Amino acid sequence: MERKFNKQPKLHIKTGDTVKVLSGDDKGKSGKVLSVDLQKRRAIVEGINMVTKHVKPTANNPQGGIEKREAALHVSNLMLVDPKTGEATKTGRKVGENGKLVRYSKKTGEVING
């Protein structure tokens, strides 16, 4: 079942963030977010949730074969790593000095850039 949203959903992670995996085979590992699918609420994290894909031979890859690549994880299984402390933290949103919403760490209260 696919969810329909009128607005773009706001997520606690963005591309480029360092996150920690909370559940699954890669529980406890951390990595950098490569991409986020807002509609499906899933993210691809570097080096996490590796799957094996069978690749057909093409002009660019005449050999074909089997390759490993990252698969998407649901964002509820990811937690942002605080850049200051290096620990996983919940995030909140508050209005910054320029009037825009900024993310902040609930553990330290520091604003998270990104």
Side-chain angles (χ1 to χ4, degrees):
M1 186 164 104
E2 193 172 324
R3 293 183 185 173
K4 303 270 189 227
F5 296 103
N6 293 339
K7 296 186 208 173
Q8 287 283 40
K10 292 258 192 225
L11 300 178
H12 61 283
I13 61 168
K14 291 182 178 180
T15 303
D17 287 343
T18 303
V19 294
K20 184 177 180 183
V21 181
L22 300 178
S23 65
D25 292 339
D26 294 322
K27 180 177 179 176
K29 293 182 183 177
S30 55
K32 187 177 173 186
V33 176
L34 300 176
S35 68
V36 178
D37 185 347
L38 292 173
Q39 294 303 315
K40 291 183 180 175
R41 294 177 182 253
R42 297 178 83 80
I44 296 176
V45 183
E46 188 175 36
I48 305 293
N49 198 22
M50 299 298 283
V51 295
T52 306
K53 287 292 214 181
H54 295 267
V55 182
K56 276 186 156 184
T58 62
N60 293 340
N61 183 9
Q63 185 64 34
I66 300 171
E67 69 177 38
K68 289 198 168 269
R69 62 171 64 161
E70 294 97 352
L73 289 162
H74 197 269
V75 293
S76 65
N77 297 327
L78 302 173
M79 192 173 231
L80 186 70
V81 173
D82 191 347
K84 299 267 190 233
T85 63
E87 295 179 12
T89 180
K90 288 185 177 181
T91 58
R93 285 190 202 88
K94 62 183 177 183
V95 179
E97 294 91 37
N98 58 0
K100 290 192 167 192
L101 280 178
V102 293
R103 295 180 302 162
Y104 71 97
S105 165
K106 292 216 175 179
K107 274 190 182 173
T108 61
E110 293 288 325
V111 172
I112 298 165
N113 295 331

Short mmCIF file of all heavy atoms in Angstrom, two decimals, residues 25-26 29 34 44-55 61 64-72:
data_model
loop_
_atom_site.label_atom_id
_atom_site.label_comp_id
_atom_site.label_asym_id
_atom_site.label_seq_id
_atom_site.Cartn_x
_atom_site.Cartn_y
_atom_site.Cartn_z
N ASP A 25 19.88 -6.68 10.01
CA ASP A 25 21.15 -7.40 9.96
C ASP A 25 22.34 -6.49 10.25
O ASP A 25 23.35 -6.94 10.78
CB ASP A 25 21.35 -8.04 8.57
CG ASP A 25 20.37 -9.16 8.31
OD1 ASP A 25 19.83 -9.70 9.29
OD2 ASP A 25 20.14 -9.48 7.13
N ASP A 26 22.24 -5.23 9.89
CA ASP A 26 23.34 -4.28 10.07
C ASP A 26 23.17 -3.42 11.32
O ASP A 26 23.71 -2.30 11.39
CB ASP A 26 23.47 -3.38 8.83
CG ASP A 26 23.89 -4.16 7.61
OD1 ASP A 26 24.72 -5.07 7.75
OD2 ASP A 26 23.38 -3.89 6.51
N LYS A 29 25.68 -0.58 13.02
CA LYS A 29 26.62 0.01 12.06
C LYS A 29 26.19 1.43 11.73
O LYS A 29 25.02 1.79 11.88
CB LYS A 29 26.66 -0.81 10.77
CG LYS A 29 27.25 -2.19 10.94
CD LYS A 29 27.30 -2.89 9.60
CE LYS A 29 27.81 -4.31 9.73
NZ LYS A 29 27.78 -5.00 8.44
N LEU A 34 23.30 8.28 1.29
CA LEU A 34 23.58 8.60 -0.12
C LEU A 34 22.37 9.24 -0.79
O LEU A 34 22.52 10.15 -1.60
CB LEU A 34 23.99 7.34 -0.87
CG LEU A 34 25.24 6.63 -0.36
CD1 LEU A 34 25.46 5.35 -1.13
CD2 LEU A 34 26.44 7.54 -0.49
N ILE A 44 19.05 5.24 1.34
CA ILE A 44 20.16 4.37 1.01
C ILE A 44 21.38 4.88 1.77
O ILE A 44 21.73 6.06 1.68
CB ILE A 44 20.43 4.36 -0.52
CG1 ILE A 44 19.21 3.76 -1.23
CG2 ILE A 44 21.69 3.58 -0.84
CD1 ILE A 44 19.31 3.78 -2.74
N VAL A 45 22.01 3.97 2.54
CA VAL A 45 23.15 4.33 3.38
C VAL A 45 24.38 3.59 2.87
O VAL A 45 24.33 2.40 2.56
CB VAL A 45 22.88 3.95 4.86
CG1 VAL A 45 24.04 4.39 5.74
CG2 VAL A 45 21.58 4.56 5.34
N GLU A 46 25.50 4.31 2.80
CA GLU A 46 26.74 3.79 2.25
C GLU A 46 27.24 2.58 3.05
O GLU A 46 27.43 2.66 4.26
CB GLU A 46 27.80 4.90 2.28
CG GLU A 46 29.08 4.60 1.59
CD GLU A 46 29.99 5.80 1.57
OE1 GLU A 46 30.01 6.55 2.56
OE2 GLU A 46 30.68 5.98 0.57
N GLY A 47 27.39 1.43 2.37
CA GLY A 47 27.94 0.22 3.00
C GLY A 47 26.97 -0.55 3.87
O GLY A 47 27.35 -1.53 4.50
N ILE A 48 25.70 -0.16 3.92
CA ILE A 48 24.70 -0.80 4.78
C ILE A 48 23.65 -1.48 3.91
O ILE A 48 23.29 -0.99 2.85
CB ILE A 48 24.01 0.24 5.70
CG1 ILE A 48 25.05 1.02 6.51
CG2 ILE A 48 22.99 -0.40 6.61
CD1 ILE A 48 25.80 0.25 7.53
N ASN A 49 23.13 -2.63 4.36
CA ASN A 49 22.08 -3.38 3.68
C ASN A 49 22.50 -3.75 2.26
O ASN A 49 21.80 -3.51 1.29
CB ASN A 49 20.77 -2.58 3.67
CG ASN A 49 19.55 -3.44 3.39
OD1 ASN A 49 19.59 -4.64 3.58
ND2 ASN A 49 18.49 -2.81 2.92
N MET A 50 23.69 -4.38 2.16
CA MET A 50 24.22 -4.77 0.86
C MET A 50 23.45 -5.98 0.32
O MET A 50 23.20 -6.93 1.04
CB MET A 50 25.70 -5.13 0.98
CG MET A 50 26.57 -3.98 1.45
SD MET A 50 26.57 -2.58 0.35
CE MET A 50 27.64 -3.15 -0.92
N VAL A 51 23.06 -5.89 -0.96
CA VAL A 51 22.36 -6.99 -1.62
C VAL A 51 23.14 -7.38 -2.88
O VAL A 51 23.91 -6.59 -3.41
CB VAL A 51 20.91 -6.61 -1.99
CG1 VAL A 51 20.07 -6.38 -0.76
CG2 VAL A 51 20.86 -5.42 -2.91
N THR A 52 22.93 -8.60 -3.33
CA THR A 52 23.59 -9.10 -4.54
C THR A 52 22.65 -8.94 -5.72
O THR A 52 21.50 -9.36 -5.65
CB THR A 52 23.95 -10.59 -4.36
OG1 THR A 52 24.72 -10.71 -3.16
CG2 THR A 52 24.76 -11.09 -5.51
N LYS A 53 23.13 -8.31 -6.78
CA LYS A 53 22.34 -8.10 -7.98
C LYS A 53 23.00 -8.83 -9.14
O LYS A 53 24.22 -8.77 -9.32
CB LYS A 53 22.26 -6.61 -8.33
CG LYS A 53 21.38 -5.80 -7.42
CD LYS A 53 19.97 -6.18 -7.61
CE LYS A 53 19.04 -5.01 -7.44
NZ LYS A 53 17.65 -5.41 -7.61
N HIS A 54 22.19 -9.50 -9.95
CA HIS A 54 22.68 -10.15 -11.16
C HIS A 54 22.55 -9.13 -12.30
O HIS A 54 21.46 -8.65 -12.57
CB HIS A 54 21.87 -11.40 -11.47
CG HIS A 54 22.05 -12.46 -10.43
ND1 HIS A 54 22.99 -13.45 -10.53
CD2 HIS A 54 21.45 -12.66 -9.24
CE1 HIS A 54 22.94 -14.21 -9.47
NE2 HIS A 54 22.00 -13.75 -8.66
N VAL A 55 23.68 -8.81 -12.94
CA VAL A 55 23.70 -7.77 -13.96
C VAL A 55 23.90 -8.41 -15.33
O VAL A 55 24.83 -9.19 -15.54
CB VAL A 55 24.84 -6.76 -13.68
CG1 VAL A 55 24.85 -5.66 -14.71
CG2 VAL A 55 24.70 -6.19 -12.29
N ASN A 61 29.24 -2.77 -19.83
CA ASN A 61 29.73 -3.86 -19.00
C ASN A 61 29.55 -5.18 -19.77
O ASN A 61 28.60 -5.91 -19.53
CB ASN A 61 28.95 -3.88 -17.67
CG ASN A 61 29.45 -4.93 -16.72
OD1 ASN A 61 30.47 -5.56 -16.95
ND2 ASN A 61 28.71 -5.13 -15.65
N GLY A 64 29.11 -8.54 -17.63
CA GLY A 64 27.93 -8.81 -16.81
C GLY A 64 28.39 -9.34 -15.46
O GLY A 64 29.46 -8.99 -14.99
N GLY A 65 27.59 -10.19 -14.82
CA GLY A 65 28.04 -10.83 -13.59
C GLY A 65 27.18 -10.46 -12.40
O GLY A 65 26.05 -10.01 -12.52
N ILE A 66 27.77 -10.69 -11.23
CA ILE A 66 27.08 -10.45 -9.96
C ILE A 66 27.78 -9.30 -9.26
O ILE A 66 29.00 -9.30 -9.12
CB ILE A 66 27.11 -11.72 -9.09
CG1 ILE A 66 26.42 -12.87 -9.81
CG2 ILE A 66 26.47 -11.46 -7.74
CD1 ILE A 66 26.59 -14.21 -9.14
N GLU A 67 27.00 -8.31 -8.82
CA GLU A 67 27.60 -7.18 -8.10
C GLU A 67 26.83 -6.90 -6.82
O GLU A 67 25.65 -7.23 -6.71
CB GLU A 67 27.66 -5.93 -8.97
CG GLU A 67 26.32 -5.31 -9.30
CD GLU A 67 26.48 -4.04 -10.11
OE1 GLU A 67 27.36 -3.96 -10.98
OE2 GLU A 67 25.69 -3.11 -9.87
N LYS A 68 27.52 -6.33 -5.85
CA LYS A 68 26.89 -5.97 -4.58
C LYS A 68 26.59 -4.48 -4.59
O LYS A 68 27.41 -3.69 -5.06
CB LYS A 68 27.81 -6.32 -3.41
CG LYS A 68 27.95 -7.79 -3.16
CD LYS A 68 28.49 -8.04 -1.78
CE LYS A 68 28.38 -9.49 -1.40
NZ LYS A 68 27.17 -9.82 -0.73
N ARG A 69 25.42 -4.12 -4.08
CA ARG A 69 25.06 -2.70 -3.99
C ARG A 69 24.17 -2.49 -2.78
O ARG A 69 23.62 -3.44 -2.23
CB ARG A 69 24.38 -2.21 -5.26
CG ARG A 69 23.06 -2.90 -5.57
CD ARG A 69 22.34 -2.24 -6.71
NE ARG A 69 23.10 -2.33 -7.94
CZ ARG A 69 22.59 -2.18 -9.14
NH1 ARG A 69 21.31 -1.95 -9.27
NH2 ARG A 69 23.32 -2.26 -10.21
N GLU A 70 24.04 -1.23 -2.37
CA GLU A 70 23.22 -0.89 -1.20
C GLU A 70 21.74 -0.92 -1.58
O GLU A 70 21.37 -0.48 -2.66
CB GLU A 70 23.56 0.50 -0.66
CG GLU A 70 24.95 0.63 -0.09
CD GLU A 70 25.96 1.20 -1.07
OE1 GLU A 70 25.61 1.36 -2.27
OE2 GLU A 70 27.09 1.44 -0.66
N ALA A 71 20.92 -1.42 -0.66
CA ALA A 71 19.47 -1.38 -0.83
C ALA A 71 18.91 -0.38 0.18
O ALA A 71 19.56 -0.04 1.17
CB ALA A 71 18.87 -2.76 -0.61
N ALA A 72 17.69 0.08 -0.07
CA ALA A 72 17.07 1.11 0.76
C ALA A 72 16.62 0.52 2.10
O ALA A 72 16.22 -0.64 2.20
CB ALA A 72 15.89 1.73 0.04
#
